[in-house]
Amino acid sequence: MVVALNDVWKTYSTGKVKFDALKGIDLQFKRGEFVAVAGPSGSGKTTIMNIIGLIDTPSRGAVLIDGRETASLNRDELTRMRQEVIGFVFQSFNLLPVLTVFENVELPLLLGRKGSRSAALDKARRKERVERLLEEVGLADKRFNRPAELSGGQQQRVAIARALVNEPAIVIADEPTANLDSENGTRVLDLMKKVNAEYGATFIFSTHDKTIWEMATRIIFLHDGKIERGAATA
Ligand SMILES: Nc1ncnc2c1ncn2[C@@H]1O[C@H](COP(=O)(O)OP(=O)(O)O)[C@@H](O)[C@H]1O
Ligand SMILES: [Mg+2]
């Protein structure tokens, strides 16, 4: 099991008001799965994606990545796991505007810590890997452009290349198509599916769009912080 959530709860506190955004989530993901987390706005999709992506921690319950209980990791180990095991694609692309497309994709390789896999890559190896990924997402000819010179769909394809550059075991995409029209949204999903098949990484993406969630091999339906159906692995 590449990811497991055991009785995960998330409680947000605003002043004296407490709100349970996740209420006892039990989930497992196998290597290479292409899973949609579906549900209406406010159902807890972003909360669950951030917890799986180690951006946020549960209030209760356990998150296991590659069989390791993440609560027992120290800060450095957690950062390292986030950088090396997980790739993240955001709803709003989150590319750095001052960097070129090439530099945006290369960035995670430069953030690798001393002794990490990516820190061992020299400039020529980094260039080779970034260019291969830009080929893969169909944007090799845009490598010297800035994000603002690209369409939304192209920016999201750059973000997918960036998420893959460290060869993560898991790619998390929180509503990756929410800011795209349906044609570009489908293209982005087609690309995610292609790289899922080629690299074998587990893809977990959230969406409230039916046409998108139907492209998944498994759909997990969230409602008010609980799983309605889809918890069992295929
Ligand atoms: N930082 C926060 N503080 C308080 N409540 C929050 C916070 N983040 C999310 N929530 C609440 O938790 C619920 C789930 O939010 P979220 O995970 O963003 O859902 P979704 O991504 O499905 O729209 C919502 O009711 C939202 O208002
Ligand atoms: Mg959300």
Side-chain angles (χ1 to χ4, degrees), residues 185-226:
T186 306
R187 269 193 84 179
V188 160
L189 253 287
D190 281 338
L191 172 65
M192 280 172 39
K193 206 154 190 173
K194 183 182 89 165
V195 293
N196 163 253
E198 282 174 15
Y199 293 84
T202 304
F203 273 70
I204 306 169
F205 62 95
S206 69
T207 179
H208 57 256
D209 182 346
K210 193 169 193 290
T211 58
I212 297 294
W213 81 52
E214 283 178 340
M215 294 169 76
T217 49
R218 175 160 66 116
I219 310 170
I220 291 156
F221 290 94
L222 263 188
H223 193 80
D224 285 344
K226 287 190 202 152

Side-chain angles (χ1 to χ4, degrees), residues 81-155:
M81 190 175 256
R82 205 184 295 120
Q83 285 176 347
E84 296 194 347
V85 183
I86 295 163
F88 222 104
V89 177
F90 300 90
Q91 179 175 332
S92 48
F93 323 136
N94 286 16
L95 301 175
L96 291 178
V98 297
L99 300 183
T100 64
V101 162
F102 181 98
E103 289 164 342
N104 266 283
V105 177
E106 186 188 32
L107 189 62
L109 295 176
L110 301 171
L111 297 176
R113 308 190 139 227
K114 223 176 155 209
S116 72
R117 274 186 290 142
S118 60
L121 291 185
D122 62 22
K123 197 172 170 205
R125 298 277 304 282
R126 289 199 304 271
K127 182 165 184 281
E128 189 185 299
R129 191 180 294 183
V130 172
E131 286 182 349
R132 176 172 51 79
L133 279 167
L134 286 175
E135 258 337 300
E136 187 91 62
V137 301
L139 290 171
D141 59 329
K142 299 283 185 201
R143 64 188 178 282
F144 301 124
N145 289 82
R146 312 265 162 197
E149 295 161 342
L150 273 56
S151 72
Q154 290 172 329
Q155 289 186 50

Side-chain angles (χ1 to χ4, degrees), residues 12-14 19-22 39-48 174-175 206 222:
Y12 290 115
S13 306
T14 320
F19 179 81
D20 292 323
L22 296 178
S41 182
S43 58
K45 299 184 300 296
T46 294
T47 304
I48 208 170
D174 187 18
E175 300 216 39
S206 69
L222 263 188

Side-chain angles (χ1 to χ4, degrees), residues 12-30:
Y12 290 115
S13 306
T14 320
K16 281 188 178 153
V17 184
K18 287 193 189 308
F19 179 81
D20 292 323
L22 296 178
K23 303 167 185 165
I25 301 287
D26 287 301
L27 268 181
Q28 278 109 45
F29 299 92
K30 287 193 285 200

